[in-house]
Amino acid sequence: MSVVLGKPIPYFEIPATSGLVFNPTACKGRKLVMYFYPKDSTPGCTVESMEFRDTIDAFTQANTLVVGISRDTLKSHDNFKGKLELPFELAADTEEVLCQMFNVMKMKNMYGKQVRGIERSTFLIDEEGVLRHEWRGLKIPGHVQEVLKAAQSL
């Protein structure tokens, strides 16, 4: 199953940091930002995660949870989360369940070679579990503020 704007997202369960299992049912009654990023501890992913970290109070005031998602392991996520002092969970999509559901896997050029990886993407789900906004192939500068404004306006 894949996601569609204006429709509820399908049910899933993915392991996350803090020993949690991330699923959409646990988020009902709150908005949810799911940001997909290529790899822990890489420059762009570090900047993006720190920007979400630095605006977490505003997201909380907007009744919005933030979850970062990549194909990295829980151990890698725990290290990344600890190093950056991230106040939100990271989900380990090692089996690419969410990556496939949200269609974020793309062929990319890396150092002159074609590689399959996550296209940086963010999704905003409302309190009822309906996908309301999506940003695909995005650039980091200004992105977190744009997502925050969208969450505040829902």
Side-chain angles (χ1 to χ4, degrees), residues 13 27-28 35 64 68 77 79-80 88 92 98 107 118 127 130 144 152:
E13 288 186 351
C27 304
K28 284 279 185 164
Y35 76 97
T64 305
H77 278 344
N79 291 337
F80 187 53
F88 49 82
L98 291 179
M107 292 306 291
I118 291 178
E127 295 93 337
V130 175
V144 171
Q152 290 168 329

Side-chain angles (χ1 to χ4, degrees), residues 10 57 71 81 83 152:
D57 289 342
R71 298 181 301 166
K81 182 180 175 187
K83 182 171 78 174
Q152 290 168 329

